[in-house]
Amino acid sequence: MAGLAESGSNPDVDLLYDINGLAKDVPHWVDRGMGFMGEYGLLLAMVVLVLWCWWTVRRGGDEGAASSVAGLVWAPLAAGIAVLVNVPIRGFVERPRPFVDHQGLDVLVAGKTGFSFVSDHATLTMAMGVGLFVVHRRFGLAGIGLALVEGFCRVYMGVHYPTDVIGGFALGTAVALLLSPLATALLTPVMKAVERSPRAGRLVRARRAGLTGQQARIPQARSERPEEPDLAA
């Protein structure tokens, strides 16, 4: 099978060797950094991005905050569902890891014994990135960018074929988009109920300082007070 890379008859294997071959031409600390980022770092960055988007949405305090927060709740849920969908797919395809069938790969992470297609990491990050994009384009584009970097890292690390990553991107995108209308319809009423809560409501929409409770009604009460007659007249 390794000969396919030399003959160029398999673009998937060709690209695998080209990308993974970069690991042999850089310092060891770069490989260690790429291994950490591809295994843990980018997933953590995606979680931070979702939390940052939530903080931005709730501080905006607009009327659509509940639906936006519902979409943000859906993003990690979509990632989890996509990974569950991937379980039977991996069991059906049963594609070995690249380093099992191909010699000369620089494998940066040990202990990968499961099947290769499709990549869980690519599925997770793309599902969350697309879920973010539905709520907020700027944060969504950043999330999709992180997912693309994650996919590159998985191939660079020698633990996935490029098509494993592409399949993960497709699966994560499909789950996040196709189930988004149903998820939003179910989660938005829940977020609106949370928003009405005196304490938990701050999770959905920030309260303006000094304009809560009775203080917020004082200016209106004054404007509605009838004018007193001028006794001097």
XYZ file of all heavy atoms in Angstrom, residues 217-226:
84
model
N -38.746 51.907 36.591
C -40.092 52.422 36.348
C -40.264 53.852 36.833
O -41.272 54.484 36.578
C -41.108 51.508 37.063
C -41.189 50.123 36.466
C -42.391 49.379 37.036
N -42.232 49.113 38.463
C -41.678 48.019 38.966
N -41.202 47.102 38.156
N -41.589 47.829 40.269
N -39.285 54.403 37.541
C -39.424 55.751 38.097
C -39.544 56.813 37.017
O -40.442 57.650 37.080
C -38.253 56.069 39.054
C -38.405 55.212 40.304
C -38.221 57.544 39.403
C -37.273 55.394 41.303
N -38.668 56.803 35.973
C -38.808 57.849 34.948
C -40.157 57.810 34.261
O -40.751 58.849 34.002
C -37.673 57.510 33.972
C -36.675 56.775 34.805
C -37.497 55.973 35.754
N -40.655 56.608 33.995
C -41.951 56.505 33.337
C -43.060 57.004 34.252
O -43.992 57.669 33.831
C -42.203 55.052 32.932
C -43.511 54.878 32.182
C -43.724 53.436 31.765
O -42.919 52.568 32.070
N -44.806 53.193 31.070
N -42.944 56.688 35.553
C -43.968 57.115 36.496
C -44.009 58.639 36.569
O -45.073 59.238 36.633
C -43.673 56.525 37.878
N -42.845 59.260 36.529
C -42.816 60.719 36.581
C -43.420 61.330 35.333
O -44.104 62.345 35.386
C -41.375 61.192 36.757
C -40.826 60.920 38.153
C -39.386 61.381 38.266
N -38.886 61.192 39.618
C -37.636 61.442 39.970
N -36.762 61.882 39.055
N -37.244 61.251 41.221
N -43.170 60.714 34.192
C -43.673 61.284 32.946
C -45.176 61.142 32.855
O -45.832 61.902 32.163
C -43.020 60.574 31.757
O -43.368 59.201 31.755
N -45.741 60.151 33.585
C -47.181 59.940 33.496
C -47.943 60.710 34.584
O -49.155 60.711 34.617
C -47.491 58.445 33.641
C -46.969 57.628 32.447
C -47.230 56.150 32.645
O -47.694 55.797 33.759
O -46.976 55.372 31.712
N -47.208 61.336 35.526
C -47.868 62.069 36.613
C -48.522 63.330 36.058
O -47.876 64.100 35.337
C -46.837 62.442 37.685
C -47.460 63.135 38.881
C -46.390 63.497 39.879
N -45.701 62.289 40.335
C -44.615 62.332 41.106
N -44.098 63.518 41.453
N -44.042 61.208 41.491
N -49.807 63.531 36.347
C -50.475 64.744 35.822
C -49.875 66.012 36.409
O -49.408 66.035 37.546
C -51.931 64.555 36.280
C -51.846 63.629 37.453
C -50.714 62.700 37.189
